[in-house]
Amino acid sequence: MDTATHFAMGFGLAGLAYLDPVVATTPGLAEAVMIGTVIGSQAPDLDGLVRVRGTAAYIRNHRGVSHSVPAVFLWTGALFALIQGFMPQTSWLHLLGWIFLAVCLHVFVDLFNSYGTKGLYPFRDKWVALNAIFIFDPFIFAAHLVGFMLWAAGLEPGRLFLWIYVIIAVYYYWRCQAQKRTTELVRSRIGKSGTYTIIPTISWTQWTFVAKTEHHWYVGEVHSGDVVVLDTFAIKPENEVIKAAAKSSKVQSFLSFTHHVHVETAKRPFGYEVKWIDLRYRSRFHGKSHYMFVAVVYLDYELQIRDEFVGWIHRGEEQLTKKMDPNRQLG
């Protein structure tokens, strides 16, 4: 989920904590729990600091090991020690438990969007993305805002947020079922066996999809049950140019994150351009399909890498051209 929603959930858990009679009646504990749940709801995303090492490092690590099973315990322990050092609590086990719940909830809800996490690592070293909830969901955020206003108006926060989270849990179930129904709808429309990935949007009635069959990729949208195929790509075997470009560390970071990848090659005056595009992130630019998340390598005719790029391109090929230099010689 987005940062704002994680913050809202942190405060929501602080309200829910009033169901715990020890939290509700122990002076200072409710405040310590609020600090713990708010920071704990953000802690796994501190891996975003790896961005200073470059986009490739960020792609490889963001929502990776920082969202794993061992990391949940490490974040909880570190945050508990920090708070206990500044605000010592005799009922420390309750503080520890609510911090742990906040960190776990962060990782859990991140599993439901299209970006996903490595939330099952080390038991499963793959990204898990359940594709049921958009990264910012207005219903979930609005439910928290309503809860905060009712809390400020004087309602008892424990029972209030218990009901809010029951409603949100039902909402998650409904969205998962809607995603399954949409998957079967697209599968029926394409009419071929393969892997179908249905991706939520901010609208309840609109989805995007990427389907991989034996010979083709299909990219499209679903509007209120109407399936539209927008782009079709033939799946071609790797050649020596692609294999040479795939040695790029930036490309390897890109491929470690996504499996919805189509690769294209083009001959250029300096040699070859090889581009990998993540088919999940399609937009329109000047009336044409544009895929925003890419990895690109320039090779000379001896198949030596001259330049490489990985990241987001929002303004078309002109933006990419400004970032790439075919005359650059990598060390």
Side-chain angles (χ1 to χ4, degrees):
M1 304 298 290
D2 66 297
T3 300
T5 302
H6 282 307
F7 264 121
M9 287 184 169
F11 283 109
L13 287 178
L16 184 68
Y18 279 86
L19 286 176
D20 182 342
V22 177
V23 173
T25 58
T26 303
L29 182 56
E31 290 78 7
V33 166
M34 178 174 288
I35 294 172
T37 57
V38 171
I39 299 178
S41 69
Q42 295 292 328
D45 280 348
L46 290 175
D47 64 358
L49 295 175
V50 78
R51 191 187 292 271
V52 300
R53 294 168 49 195
T55 304
Y58 178 79
I59 291 169
R60 185 180 288 273
N61 293 285
H62 182 51
R63 293 189 181 177
V65 176
S66 66
H67 287 59
S68 66
V69 174
V72 167
F73 293 96
L74 291 174
W75 289 122
T76 300
L79 183 53
F80 169 75
L82 179 64
I83 296 175
Q84 191 70 358
F86 286 96
M87 304 173 63
Q89 303 295 321
T90 55
S91 301
W92 59 267
L93 192 60
H94 294 262
L95 173 61
L96 182 66
W98 285 103
I99 293 173
F100 179 72
L101 179 59
V103 177
C104 287
L105 185 62
H106 176 116
V107 174
F108 178 74
V109 298
D110 275 356
L111 295 173
F112 286 85
N113 57 50
S114 62
Y115 197 101
T117 75
K118 282 192 174 182
L120 299 181
Y121 182 85
F123 305 105
R124 183 183 179 188
D125 189 18
K126 292 184 178 180
W127 292 86
V128 179
L130 301 180
N131 297 305
I133 305 291
F134 191 60
I135 194 167
F136 174 76
D137 189 292
F139 177 82
I140 295 173
F141 191 73
H144 282 86
L145 290 183
V146 171
F148 299 148
M149 289 187 289
L150 293 176
W151 186 2
L155 268 67
E156 196 281 314
R159 291 185 179 180
L160 170 64
F161 278 96
L162 175 61
W163 278 109
I164 287 174
Y165 284 122
V166 167
I167 292 170
I168 290 176
V170 172
Y171 175 72
Y172 266 75
Y173 176 79
W174 172 69
R175 289 293 289 168
C176 288
Q177 293 304 308
Q179 197 263 4
K180 290 181 180 179
R181 290 193 297 270
T182 305
T183 300
E184 292 309 311
L185 180 65
V186 174
R187 191 187 303 274
S188 175
R189 167 67 173 79
I190 301 297
K192 298 179 181 180
S193 61
T195 303
Y196 288 77
T197 302
I198 310 301
I199 302 167
T201 71
I202 200 167
S203 169
W204 286 346
T205 60
Q206 181 173 337
W207 304 76
T208 61
F209 67 84
V210 179
K212 183 181 182 181
T213 64
E214 183 178 1
H215 300 293
H216 293 89
W217 287 101
Y218 297 90
V219 180
E221 297 177 349
V222 181
H223 301 270
S224 300
D226 184 21
V227 179
V228 180
V229 176
L230 299 171
D231 291 318
T232 303
F233 301 96
I235 298 175
K236 300 177 181 179
E238 285 192 347
N239 55 35
E240 60 178 2
V241 174
I242 295 174
K243 291 178 180 178
K247 295 177 182 178
S248 160
S249 60
K250 293 184 178 182
V251 172
Q252 291 172 14
S253 294
F254 181 84
L255 296 178
S256 72
F257 166 70
T258 178
H259 301 289
H260 303 81
V261 180
H262 172 65
V263 59
E264 300 174 340
T265 60
K267 200 168 184 179
R268 303 298 188 199
F270 55 81
Y272 304 95
E273 175 188 296
V274 185
K275 179 191 294 184
W276 287 261
I277 59 177
D278 190 328
L279 297 175
R280 295 175 297 174
Y281 302 109
R282 177 189 176 277
S283 68
R284 293 189 67 80
F285 187 79
H286 291 170
K288 297 181 180 180
S289 288
H290 171 61
Y291 292 87
M292 298 179 289
F293 188 41
V294 302
V296 183
V297 174
Y298 284 172
L299 302 165
D300 60 25
Y301 286 110
E302 286 70 44
L303 302 185
Q304 299 300 305
I305 296 176
R306 308 296 299 189
D307 200 4
E308 54 190 346
F309 169 82
V310 63
W312 295 87
I313 299 295
H314 297 282
R315 299 188 302 276
E317 293 298 317
E318 296 83 359
Q319 182 182 359
L320 179 61
T321 301
K322 292 179 181 179
K323 293 178 178 292
M324 302 288 289
D325 181 2
N327 297 313
R328 182 178 296 146
Q329 177 66 60
L330 301 183

Short mmCIF file of all heavy atoms in Angstrom, two decimals, residues 122-175:
data_model
loop_
_atom_site.label_atom_id
_atom_site.label_comp_id
_atom_site.label_asym_id
_atom_site.label_seq_id
_atom_site.Cartn_x
_atom_site.Cartn_y
_atom_site.Cartn_z
N PRO A 122 12.31 -16.76 4.11
CA PRO A 122 13.11 -17.62 3.24
C PRO A 122 12.41 -18.91 2.80
O PRO A 122 13.04 -19.76 2.17
CB PRO A 122 14.30 -17.96 4.14
CG PRO A 122 13.70 -18.02 5.50
CD PRO A 122 12.63 -16.95 5.53
N PHE A 123 11.13 -19.05 3.14
CA PHE A 123 10.42 -20.27 2.76
C PHE A 123 10.11 -20.30 1.26
O PHE A 123 9.98 -21.38 0.67
CB PHE A 123 9.12 -20.38 3.57
CG PHE A 123 9.34 -20.32 5.05
CD1 PHE A 123 9.03 -19.18 5.76
CD2 PHE A 123 9.91 -21.39 5.72
CE1 PHE A 123 9.25 -19.10 7.12
CE2 PHE A 123 10.14 -21.33 7.09
CZ PHE A 123 9.81 -20.18 7.79
N ARG A 124 10.01 -19.10 0.67
CA ARG A 124 9.80 -19.00 -0.77
C ARG A 124 10.51 -17.77 -1.28
O ARG A 124 10.17 -16.64 -0.89
CB ARG A 124 8.30 -18.92 -1.10
CG ARG A 124 8.01 -18.89 -2.59
CD ARG A 124 6.53 -18.74 -2.85
NE ARG A 124 6.24 -18.68 -4.27
CZ ARG A 124 5.05 -18.40 -4.79
NH1 ARG A 124 4.02 -18.16 -4.00
NH2 ARG A 124 4.87 -18.38 -6.10
N ASP A 125 11.50 -17.97 -2.12
CA ASP A 125 12.33 -16.86 -2.60
C ASP A 125 11.76 -16.28 -3.88
O ASP A 125 12.43 -16.20 -4.91
CB ASP A 125 13.78 -17.32 -2.80
CG ASP A 125 14.72 -16.15 -3.07
OD1 ASP A 125 14.34 -15.01 -2.77
OD2 ASP A 125 15.83 -16.40 -3.59
N LYS A 126 10.49 -15.89 -3.84
CA LYS A 126 9.83 -15.29 -4.99
C LYS A 126 8.94 -14.16 -4.52
O LYS A 126 8.49 -14.12 -3.39
CB LYS A 126 8.99 -16.34 -5.75
CG LYS A 126 9.81 -17.41 -6.46
CD LYS A 126 8.91 -18.33 -7.26
CE LYS A 126 9.72 -19.39 -8.01
NZ LYS A 126 8.85 -20.29 -8.80
N TRP A 127 8.69 -13.23 -5.45
CA TRP A 127 7.76 -12.15 -5.15
C TRP A 127 6.35 -12.70 -5.13
O TRP A 127 5.94 -13.49 -5.99
CB TRP A 127 7.87 -11.05 -6.21
CG TRP A 127 9.18 -10.33 -6.15
CD1 TRP A 127 10.34 -10.69 -6.75
CD2 TRP A 127 9.48 -9.14 -5.41
NE1 TRP A 127 11.35 -9.79 -6.45
CE2 TRP A 127 10.84 -8.83 -5.63
CE3 TRP A 127 8.71 -8.30 -4.60
CZ2 TRP A 127 11.45 -7.73 -5.06
CZ3 TRP A 127 9.32 -7.19 -4.04
CH2 TRP A 127 10.67 -6.91 -4.27
N VAL A 128 5.58 -12.28 -4.12
CA VAL A 128 4.18 -12.68 -4.00
C VAL A 128 3.32 -11.43 -4.21
O VAL A 128 3.43 -10.46 -3.46
CB VAL A 128 3.88 -13.28 -2.62
CG1 VAL A 128 2.41 -13.67 -2.52
CG2 VAL A 128 4.78 -14.49 -2.36
N ALA A 129 2.50 -11.45 -5.25
CA ALA A 129 1.61 -10.33 -5.56
C ALA A 129 0.23 -10.92 -5.87
O ALA A 129 0.05 -11.58 -6.89
CB ALA A 129 2.14 -9.53 -6.75
N LEU A 130 -0.73 -10.67 -4.99
CA LEU A 130 -2.05 -11.27 -5.15
C LEU A 130 -2.98 -10.45 -6.04
O LEU A 130 -4.06 -10.92 -6.41
CB LEU A 130 -2.69 -11.47 -3.76
CG LEU A 130 -1.88 -12.37 -2.82
CD1 LEU A 130 -2.59 -12.50 -1.47
CD2 LEU A 130 -1.65 -13.75 -3.44
N ASN A 131 -2.59 -9.22 -6.38
CA ASN A 131 -3.28 -8.43 -7.41
C ASN A 131 -4.77 -8.23 -7.15
O ASN A 131 -5.59 -8.30 -8.07
CB ASN A 131 -3.11 -9.11 -8.78
CG ASN A 131 -1.67 -9.16 -9.23
OD1 ASN A 131 -1.00 -8.14 -9.29
ND2 ASN A 131 -1.18 -10.35 -9.50
N ALA A 132 -5.13 -7.95 -5.90
CA ALA A 132 -6.54 -7.73 -5.58
C ALA A 132 -6.86 -6.30 -5.18
O ALA A 132 -7.99 -5.85 -5.35
CB ALA A 132 -6.98 -8.67 -4.46
N ILE A 133 -5.86 -5.58 -4.66
CA ILE A 133 -6.07 -4.23 -4.14
C ILE A 133 -5.10 -3.28 -4.83
O ILE A 133 -3.91 -3.55 -4.91
CB ILE A 133 -5.86 -4.18 -2.61
CG1 ILE A 133 -6.74 -5.20 -1.89
CG2 ILE A 133 -6.10 -2.76 -2.08
CD1 ILE A 133 -8.22 -4.89 -1.93
N PHE A 134 -5.62 -2.14 -5.31
CA PHE A 134 -4.76 -1.12 -5.90
C PHE A 134 -3.86 -0.54 -4.81
O PHE A 134 -4.22 -0.54 -3.63
CB PHE A 134 -5.62 -0.03 -6.53
CG PHE A 134 -4.85 0.94 -7.39
CD1 PHE A 134 -4.14 0.50 -8.49
CD2 PHE A 134 -4.83 2.30 -7.09
CE1 PHE A 134 -3.43 1.39 -9.30
CE2 PHE A 134 -4.14 3.19 -7.87
CZ PHE A 134 -3.43 2.74 -8.98
N ILE A 135 -2.69 -0.03 -5.21
CA ILE A 135 -1.72 0.43 -4.22
C ILE A 135 -2.29 1.53 -3.33
O ILE A 135 -1.91 1.66 -2.16
CB ILE A 135 -0.42 0.88 -4.92
CG1 ILE A 135 0.70 1.03 -3.88
CG2 ILE A 135 -0.64 2.14 -5.73
CD1 ILE A 135 2.08 1.15 -4.48
N PHE A 136 -3.19 2.35 -3.85
CA PHE A 136 -3.96 3.27 -3.01
C PHE A 136 -5.43 2.95 -3.21
O PHE A 136 -5.96 3.11 -4.31
CB PHE A 136 -3.70 4.74 -3.36
CG PHE A 136 -4.61 5.69 -2.60
CD1 PHE A 136 -4.37 5.97 -1.27
CD2 PHE A 136 -5.71 6.27 -3.22
CE1 PHE A 136 -5.22 6.82 -0.56
CE2 PHE A 136 -6.55 7.12 -2.52
CZ PHE A 136 -6.31 7.40 -1.19
N ASP A 137 -6.08 2.51 -2.15
CA ASP A 137 -7.49 2.15 -2.24
C ASP A 137 -8.33 3.19 -1.50
O ASP A 137 -8.22 3.31 -0.28
CB ASP A 137 -7.72 0.76 -1.64
CG ASP A 137 -9.12 0.25 -1.91
OD1 ASP A 137 -10.06 0.83 -1.34
OD2 ASP A 137 -9.26 -0.71 -2.69
N PRO A 138 -9.16 3.95 -2.21
CA PRO A 138 -9.94 5.01 -1.56
C PRO A 138 -10.86 4.48 -0.45
O PRO A 138 -11.07 5.17 0.56
CB PRO A 138 -10.76 5.60 -2.71
CG PRO A 138 -9.97 5.28 -3.93
CD PRO A 138 -9.35 3.95 -3.67
N PHE A 139 -11.42 3.28 -0.64
CA PHE A 139 -12.34 2.74 0.37
C PHE A 139 -11.60 2.48 1.69
O PHE A 139 -12.09 2.85 2.77
CB PHE A 139 -12.97 1.45 -0.14
CG PHE A 139 -13.88 0.79 0.87
CD1 PHE A 139 -15.18 1.22 1.02
CD2 PHE A 139 -13.42 -0.24 1.67
CE1 PHE A 139 -16.02 0.63 1.96
CE2 PHE A 139 -14.25 -0.83 2.62
CZ PHE A 139 -15.55 -0.40 2.76
N ILE A 140 -10.43 1.86 1.61
CA ILE A 140 -9.67 1.55 2.83
C ILE A 140 -9.24 2.83 3.52
O ILE A 140 -9.35 2.96 4.75
CB ILE A 140 -8.46 0.67 2.48
CG1 ILE A 140 -8.92 -0.68 1.95
CG2 ILE A 140 -7.56 0.48 3.70
CD1 ILE A 140 -7.80 -1.55 1.41
N PHE A 141 -8.76 3.80 2.75
CA PHE A 141 -8.30 5.05 3.35
C PHE A 141 -9.48 5.81 3.95
O PHE A 141 -9.38 6.35 5.06
CB PHE A 141 -7.60 5.90 2.29
CG PHE A 141 -6.86 7.08 2.85
CD1 PHE A 141 -5.68 6.90 3.55
CD2 PHE A 141 -7.35 8.36 2.68
CE1 PHE A 141 -4.99 7.99 4.07
CE2 PHE A 141 -6.68 9.46 3.20
CZ PHE A 141 -5.49 9.27 3.90
N ALA A 142 -10.60 5.86 3.23
CA ALA A 142 -11.78 6.58 3.72
C ALA A 142 -12.33 5.93 4.99
O ALA A 142 -12.79 6.64 5.91
CB ALA A 142 -12.85 6.63 2.64
N ALA A 143 -12.29 4.60 5.06
CA ALA A 143 -12.77 3.92 6.26
C ALA A 143 -11.97 4.34 7.49
O ALA A 143 -12.53 4.55 8.58
CB ALA A 143 -12.68 2.41 6.07
N HIS A 144 -10.67 4.49 7.32
CA HIS A 144 -9.84 4.97 8.43
C HIS A 144 -10.16 6.42 8.80
O HIS A 144 -10.24 6.77 9.98
CB HIS A 144 -8.36 4.82 8.09
CG HIS A 144 -7.84 3.43 8.22
ND1 HIS A 144 -7.94 2.50 7.20
CD2 HIS A 144 -7.25 2.78 9.26
CE1 HIS A 144 -7.40 1.36 7.60
NE2 HIS A 144 -6.98 1.50 8.84
N LEU A 145 -10.36 7.27 7.78
CA LEU A 145 -10.68 8.67 8.07
C LEU A 145 -11.99 8.79 8.84
O LEU A 145 -12.09 9.59 9.79
CB LEU A 145 -10.77 9.46 6.77
CG LEU A 145 -9.46 9.70 6.01
CD1 LEU A 145 -9.72 10.57 4.78
CD2 LEU A 145 -8.42 10.36 6.90
N VAL A 146 -12.98 8.01 8.46
CA VAL A 146 -14.25 8.01 9.19
C VAL A 146 -14.01 7.58 10.63
O VAL A 146 -14.55 8.16 11.58
CB VAL A 146 -15.27 7.09 8.50
CG1 VAL A 146 -16.51 6.92 9.39
CG2 VAL A 146 -15.69 7.67 7.14
N GLY A 147 -13.19 6.55 10.80
CA GLY A 147 -12.88 6.08 12.15
C GLY A 147 -12.21 7.15 12.99
O GLY A 147 -12.55 7.34 14.17
N PHE A 148 -11.27 7.89 12.40
CA PHE A 148 -10.58 8.94 13.14
C PHE A 148 -11.54 10.05 13.55
O PHE A 148 -11.45 10.59 14.66
CB PHE A 148 -9.43 9.51 12.30
CG PHE A 148 -8.39 8.50 11.92
CD1 PHE A 148 -7.71 8.61 10.72
CD2 PHE A 148 -8.09 7.43 12.76
CE1 PHE A 148 -6.74 7.68 10.36
CE2 PHE A 148 -7.13 6.49 12.40
CZ PHE A 148 -6.46 6.62 11.20
N MET A 149 -12.48 10.41 12.66
CA MET A 149 -13.44 11.46 13.00
C MET A 149 -14.37 11.01 14.11
O MET A 149 -14.69 11.79 15.02
CB MET A 149 -14.22 11.85 11.74
CG MET A 149 -13.40 12.61 10.71
SD MET A 149 -14.36 13.26 9.32
CE MET A 149 -14.75 11.72 8.45
N LEU A 150 -14.81 9.77 14.07
CA LEU A 150 -15.70 9.26 15.13
C LEU A 150 -14.95 9.13 16.44
O LEU A 150 -15.51 9.37 17.52
CB LEU A 150 -16.28 7.91 14.70
CG LEU A 150 -17.25 7.95 13.51
CD1 LEU A 150 -17.69 6.55 13.12
CD2 LEU A 150 -18.47 8.82 13.83
N TRP A 151 -13.68 8.77 16.37
CA TRP A 151 -12.84 8.70 17.57
C TRP A 151 -12.71 10.10 18.17
O TRP A 151 -12.88 10.29 19.39
CB TRP A 151 -11.48 8.13 17.20
CG TRP A 151 -10.53 7.87 18.33
CD1 TRP A 151 -10.76 8.05 19.67
CD2 TRP A 151 -9.20 7.37 18.22
NE1 TRP A 151 -9.65 7.70 20.40
CE2 TRP A 151 -8.68 7.27 19.54
CE3 TRP A 151 -8.40 6.99 17.15
CZ2 TRP A 151 -7.38 6.82 19.80
CZ3 TRP A 151 -7.10 6.54 17.40
CH2 TRP A 151 -6.60 6.44 18.71
N ALA A 152 -12.45 11.08 17.34
CA ALA A 152 -12.33 12.46 17.83
C ALA A 152 -13.65 12.97 18.39
O ALA A 152 -13.67 13.83 19.30
CB ALA A 152 -11.87 13.37 16.69
N ALA A 153 -14.78 12.43 17.88
CA ALA A 153 -16.09 12.85 18.36
C ALA A 153 -16.45 12.20 19.69
O ALA A 153 -17.50 12.54 20.27
CB ALA A 153 -17.15 12.54 17.32
N GLY A 154 -15.63 11.26 20.15
CA GLY A 154 -15.86 10.69 21.47
C GLY A 154 -16.20 9.21 21.51
O GLY A 154 -16.37 8.65 22.60
N LEU A 155 -16.28 8.54 20.36
CA LEU A 155 -16.58 7.11 20.39
C LEU A 155 -15.39 6.33 20.92
O LEU A 155 -14.24 6.73 20.74
CB LEU A 155 -16.94 6.60 18.99
CG LEU A 155 -18.43 6.61 18.64
CD1 LEU A 155 -18.95 8.04 18.55
CD2 LEU A 155 -18.69 5.85 17.34
N GLU A 156 -15.69 5.22 21.57
CA GLU A 156 -14.65 4.36 22.14
C GLU A 156 -13.87 3.73 20.99
O GLU A 156 -14.45 3.05 20.14
CB GLU A 156 -15.29 3.28 23.02
CG GLU A 156 -14.32 2.55 23.95
CD GLU A 156 -13.52 1.48 23.22
OE1 GLU A 156 -14.13 0.72 22.45
OE2 GLU A 156 -12.29 1.42 23.42
N PRO A 157 -12.53 3.96 20.90
CA PRO A 157 -11.78 3.57 19.70
C PRO A 157 -11.60 2.07 19.51
O PRO A 157 -11.49 1.61 18.38
CB PRO A 157 -10.43 4.27 19.89
CG PRO A 157 -10.29 4.41 21.37
CD PRO A 157 -11.68 4.65 21.87
N GLY A 158 -11.57 1.31 20.59
CA GLY A 158 -11.33 -0.12 20.45
C GLY A 158 -12.40 -0.82 19.63
O GLY A 158 -12.11 -1.45 18.60
N ARG A 159 -13.65 -0.70 20.07
CA ARG A 159 -14.74 -1.35 19.34
C ARG A 159 -14.96 -0.69 17.97
O ARG A 159 -15.32 -1.37 16.99
CB ARG A 159 -16.02 -1.27 20.16
CG ARG A 159 -15.99 -2.14 21.42
CD ARG A 159 -17.31 -2.12 22.13
NE ARG A 159 -17.29 -2.98 23.32
CZ ARG A 159 -18.34 -3.15 24.13
NH1 ARG A 159 -19.48 -2.51 23.88
NH2 ARG A 159 -18.23 -3.94 25.18
N LEU A 160 -14.75 0.61 17.91
CA LEU A 160 -14.92 1.32 16.64
C LEU A 160 -14.00 0.74 15.57
O LEU A 160 -14.46 0.38 14.47
CB LEU A 160 -14.62 2.80 16.85
CG LEU A 160 -14.51 3.67 15.59
CD1 LEU A 160 -15.85 3.71 14.85
CD2 LEU A 160 -14.06 5.09 15.95
N PHE A 161 -12.72 0.60 15.89
CA PHE A 161 -11.79 0.10 14.87
C PHE A 161 -11.88 -1.41 14.70
O PHE A 161 -11.50 -1.93 13.65
CB PHE A 161 -10.37 0.56 15.18
CG PHE A 161 -10.10 1.96 14.71
CD1 PHE A 161 -10.23 3.03 15.59
CD2 PHE A 161 -9.78 2.21 13.39
CE1 PHE A 161 -10.01 4.33 15.14
CE2 PHE A 161 -9.57 3.50 12.94
CZ PHE A 161 -9.69 4.56 13.82
N LEU A 162 -12.41 -2.11 15.69
CA LEU A 162 -12.68 -3.53 15.48
C LEU A 162 -13.69 -3.70 14.37
O LEU A 162 -13.49 -4.51 13.44
CB LEU A 162 -13.20 -4.16 16.77
CG LEU A 162 -13.62 -5.63 16.65
CD1 LEU A 162 -12.44 -6.51 16.24
CD2 LEU A 162 -14.23 -6.12 17.96
N TRP A 163 -14.76 -2.92 14.39
CA TRP A 163 -15.77 -3.00 13.33
C TRP A 163 -15.22 -2.53 11.99
O TRP A 163 -15.51 -3.12 10.95
CB TRP A 163 -17.01 -2.18 13.72
CG TRP A 163 -17.92 -2.93 14.64
CD1 TRP A 163 -18.13 -2.70 15.97
CD2 TRP A 163 -18.74 -4.05 14.30
NE1 TRP A 163 -19.03 -3.60 16.49
CE2 TRP A 163 -19.42 -4.45 15.48
CE3 TRP A 163 -18.95 -4.76 13.13
CZ2 TRP A 163 -20.30 -5.53 15.50
CZ3 TRP A 163 -19.83 -5.84 13.15
CH2 TRP A 163 -20.50 -6.20 14.33
N ILE A 164 -14.40 -1.49 12.03
CA ILE A 164 -13.81 -1.00 10.78
C ILE A 164 -12.94 -2.07 10.15
O ILE A 164 -13.01 -2.31 8.93
CB ILE A 164 -13.00 0.29 11.04
CG1 ILE A 164 -13.96 1.46 11.30
CG2 ILE A 164 -12.08 0.61 9.85
CD1 ILE A 164 -13.28 2.74 11.71
N TYR A 165 -12.16 -2.77 10.95
CA TYR A 165 -11.28 -3.79 10.37
C TYR A 165 -12.05 -5.05 9.97
O TYR A 165 -11.63 -5.76 9.05
CB TYR A 165 -10.13 -4.11 11.34
CG TYR A 165 -9.07 -3.02 11.33
CD1 TYR A 165 -8.71 -2.35 12.48
CD2 TYR A 165 -8.47 -2.64 10.13
CE1 TYR A 165 -7.76 -1.33 12.45
CE2 TYR A 165 -7.52 -1.63 10.08
CZ TYR A 165 -7.17 -0.98 11.25
OH TYR A 165 -6.25 0.04 11.21
N VAL A 166 -13.16 -5.33 10.61
CA VAL A 166 -14.02 -6.42 10.14
C VAL A 166 -14.57 -6.07 8.76
O VAL A 166 -14.57 -6.91 7.84
CB VAL A 166 -15.17 -6.68 11.14
CG1 VAL A 166 -16.22 -7.59 10.51
CG2 VAL A 166 -14.63 -7.32 12.41
N ILE A 167 -15.02 -4.83 8.59
CA ILE A 167 -15.54 -4.39 7.29
C ILE A 167 -14.45 -4.44 6.23
O ILE A 167 -14.67 -4.91 5.10
CB ILE A 167 -16.12 -2.97 7.41
CG1 ILE A 167 -17.38 -2.99 8.27
CG2 ILE A 167 -16.43 -2.38 6.02
CD1 ILE A 167 -17.90 -1.61 8.64
N ILE A 168 -13.24 -3.99 6.58
CA ILE A 168 -12.14 -4.01 5.62
C ILE A 168 -11.77 -5.44 5.26
O ILE A 168 -11.45 -5.75 4.09
CB ILE A 168 -10.93 -3.24 6.17
CG1 ILE A 168 -11.24 -1.74 6.20
CG2 ILE A 168 -9.69 -3.49 5.32
CD1 ILE A 168 -10.15 -0.88 6.82
N ALA A 169 -11.82 -6.35 6.23
CA ALA A 169 -11.51 -7.76 5.95
C ALA A 169 -12.53 -8.33 4.95
O ALA A 169 -12.16 -9.07 4.02
CB ALA A 169 -11.52 -8.57 7.23
N VAL A 170 -13.80 -7.99 5.14
CA VAL A 170 -14.84 -8.44 4.19
C VAL A 170 -14.57 -7.83 2.81
O VAL A 170 -14.74 -8.50 1.78
CB VAL A 170 -16.24 -8.06 4.71
CG1 VAL A 170 -17.30 -8.34 3.64
CG2 VAL A 170 -16.55 -8.80 6.00
N TYR A 171 -14.15 -6.59 2.80
CA TYR A 171 -13.83 -5.91 1.54
C TYR A 171 -12.68 -6.62 0.82
O TYR A 171 -12.74 -6.82 -0.41
CB TYR A 171 -13.46 -4.45 1.84
CG TYR A 171 -12.99 -3.68 0.63
CD1 TYR A 171 -13.87 -3.28 -0.37
CD2 TYR A 171 -11.65 -3.31 0.51
CE1 TYR A 171 -13.44 -2.56 -1.47
CE2 TYR A 171 -11.20 -2.58 -0.59
CZ TYR A 171 -12.10 -2.22 -1.57
OH TYR A 171 -11.66 -1.51 -2.66
N TYR A 172 -11.65 -6.99 1.55
CA TYR A 172 -10.54 -7.73 0.94
C TYR A 172 -11.04 -9.04 0.33
O TYR A 172 -10.63 -9.41 -0.78
CB TYR A 172 -9.46 -8.02 1.99
CG TYR A 172 -8.36 -7.00 2.04
CD1 TYR A 172 -8.56 -5.75 2.63
CD2 TYR A 172 -7.11 -7.26 1.49
CE1 TYR A 172 -7.55 -4.81 2.67
CE2 TYR A 172 -6.09 -6.33 1.54
CZ TYR A 172 -6.32 -5.10 2.13
OH TYR A 172 -5.31 -4.17 2.16
N TYR A 173 -11.89 -9.75 1.05
CA TYR A 173 -12.44 -11.01 0.53
C TYR A 173 -13.22 -10.76 -0.76
O TYR A 173 -13.06 -11.49 -1.75
CB TYR A 173 -13.34 -11.66 1.57
CG TYR A 173 -14.01 -12.92 1.08
CD1 TYR A 173 -13.31 -14.13 1.03
CD2 TYR A 173 -15.33 -12.90 0.65
CE1 TYR A 173 -13.93 -15.29 0.56
CE2 TYR A 173 -15.96 -14.04 0.19
CZ TYR A 173 -15.24 -15.24 0.14
OH TYR A 173 -15.85 -16.38 -0.33
N TRP A 174 -14.04 -9.71 -0.77
CA TRP A 174 -14.83 -9.39 -1.96
C TRP A 174 -13.93 -9.07 -3.14
O TRP A 174 -14.17 -9.51 -4.27
CB TRP A 174 -15.75 -8.22 -1.66
CG TRP A 174 -16.47 -7.70 -2.87
CD1 TRP A 174 -17.45 -8.33 -3.60
CD2 TRP A 174 -16.23 -6.44 -3.53
NE1 TRP A 174 -17.84 -7.54 -4.65
CE2 TRP A 174 -17.12 -6.37 -4.64
CE3 TRP A 174 -15.37 -5.37 -3.28
CZ2 TRP A 174 -17.16 -5.28 -5.49
CZ3 TRP A 174 -15.42 -4.27 -4.13
CH2 TRP A 174 -16.29 -4.24 -5.22
N ARG A 175 -12.87 -8.28 -2.90
CA ARG A 175 -11.96 -7.93 -3.98
C ARG A 175 -11.22 -9.16 -4.51
O ARG A 175 -10.99 -9.28 -5.72
CB ARG A 175 -10.95 -6.87 -3.52
CG ARG A 175 -11.56 -5.51 -3.30
CD ARG A 175 -12.03 -4.89 -4.60
NE ARG A 175 -10.91 -4.49 -5.45
CZ ARG A 175 -11.03 -4.14 -6.72
NH1 ARG A 175 -12.21 -4.17 -7.31
NH2 ARG A 175 -9.96 -3.77 -7.42
#
